[in-house]
Amino acid sequence: MTITTGRPLGKDGEPADAPALELDADGPATRLLRESPYPLASSPAAELWSVITQYPERDGSSDPAMVVWASPDSMELPPHVHPYDSEYFRTLRGEVTLVVDDERHHLSPGEDITIDPGQSHFFRNNTDDYVAFYTETPSIRPIEVQFTFFGMDHDGVFSRDDSYSEPDLFQGLLMSEYLHERTRITSIPFPVQRILWATFGRFAKSTGREAVDTAYLNNEFWEETVEQPEF
């Protein structure tokens, strides 16, 4: 059975006409969502959904962790490295493609991989269906950045007409600077990023922009903004 959920909620509390998540009702990703004390979050523009499953600062768990769902039309996040940490991935639904140092790994449900420190990596959905995976991140910062990006998308921060949109250059620079001690974007040489942080990034901060907004880490925001599944 399929559960359709995860659509943005309008001011009246009703789901909007926007990308929806199709959950496999009996699948392992849905089980983790059902068991999580945290709500489902989304980025309509990126067609990505996520739920935090472990948040050490709040629940005393060992490592930050989350489940991510991607539609067939989902945004491809930039390649990055963790200089000092490993990262664990396990596919829960469909076939997830992880590109590690330019080598493609096609992971079916139940298959996993640990990315070693210094290995450039990113994921993509090369299928015609939804995919889902579980990941344990090196720190809570990637989750903070992802949920801020998701929340800003819902709030229309990146568009002029309140439509859904992916992060712009300024927000991307602020987020990459916030992450850089333990997560570095590899698509732009690091020395160039440092120059951009000191110029465009400084300008973004002067306008009041921040890399992370903790309001988007509150359960209440997502319960009021994204359609939650009824189990």
Side-chain angles (χ1 to χ4, degrees):
M1 184 177 75
T2 298
I3 300 172
T4 301
T5 189
R7 292 169 290 187
L9 296 177
K11 294 181 180 180
D12 58 0
E14 294 298 316
D17 183 15
L21 171 62
E22 294 181 4
L23 291 174
D24 178 359
D26 299 318
T30 304
R31 176 178 57 79
L32 289 174
L33 172 59
R34 185 185 298 115
E35 294 173 352
S36 174
Y38 307 104
L40 182 67
S42 76
S43 166
E47 295 198 29
L48 295 170
W49 294 260
S50 187
V51 64
I52 299 170
T53 57
Q54 295 179 182
Y55 198 133
E57 290 84 348
R58 295 181 181 178
D59 53 39
S61 53
S62 56
D63 299 293
M66 60 181 168
V67 175
V68 177
W69 289 263
S71 83
D73 299 314
S74 64
M75 171 186 175
E76 190 172 286
L77 300 179
H80 57 279
V81 301
H82 306 298
Y84 316 109
D85 307 281
S86 60
E87 185 171 11
Y88 174 76
F89 290 88
R90 182 175 73 251
T91 296
L92 302 172
R93 175 180 176 179
E95 182 183 84
V96 176
T97 299
L98 270 169
V99 182
V100 183
D101 285 343
D102 296 325
E103 181 180 352
R104 290 172 175 78
H105 300 261
H106 305 287
L107 304 181
S108 298
E111 294 184 327
D112 61 3
I113 189 172
T114 297
I115 309 298
D116 292 328
Q119 288 188 302
S120 177
H121 59 283
F122 65 97
F123 78 88
R124 59 166 58 126
N125 180 2
N126 283 337
T127 77
D128 295 326
D129 198 358
Y130 292 81
V131 300
F133 61 88
Y134 167 85
T135 179
E136 294 175 359
T137 63
S139 73
I140 197 64
R141 288 196 172 197
I143 293 178
E144 292 174 335
V145 163
Q146 179 173 300
F147 275 61
T148 296
F149 150 34
F150 282 12
M152 288 182 170
D153 180 16
H154 278 278
D155 282 344
V157 172
F158 310 124
S159 67
R160 296 181 179 179
D161 57 0
D162 294 326
S163 61
Y164 303 119
S165 184
E166 299 166 5
D168 57 19
L169 170 65
F170 297 109
Q171 194 63 38
L173 288 172
L174 292 179
M175 289 176 167
S176 66
E177 183 179 18
Y178 182 77
L179 290 170
H180 84 274
E181 289 185 1
R182 297 179 68 176
T183 301
R184 294 183 182 177
I185 306 302
T186 57
S187 54
I188 301 175
F190 189 60
V192 175
Q193 291 184 59
R194 296 180 70 93
I195 294 171
L196 293 173
W197 295 337
T199 53
F200 292 100
R202 182 176 297 175
F203 171 77
K205 291 176 184 177
S206 72
T207 66
R209 290 272 196 111
E210 295 180 325
V212 166
D213 187 335
T214 56
Y216 297 127
L217 295 167
N218 293 332
N219 288 2
E220 292 79 7
F221 176 84
W222 296 108
E223 290 164 352
E224 295 173 358
T225 305
V226 174
E227 176 187 24
Q228 301 296 315
E230 296 182 4
F231 296 120

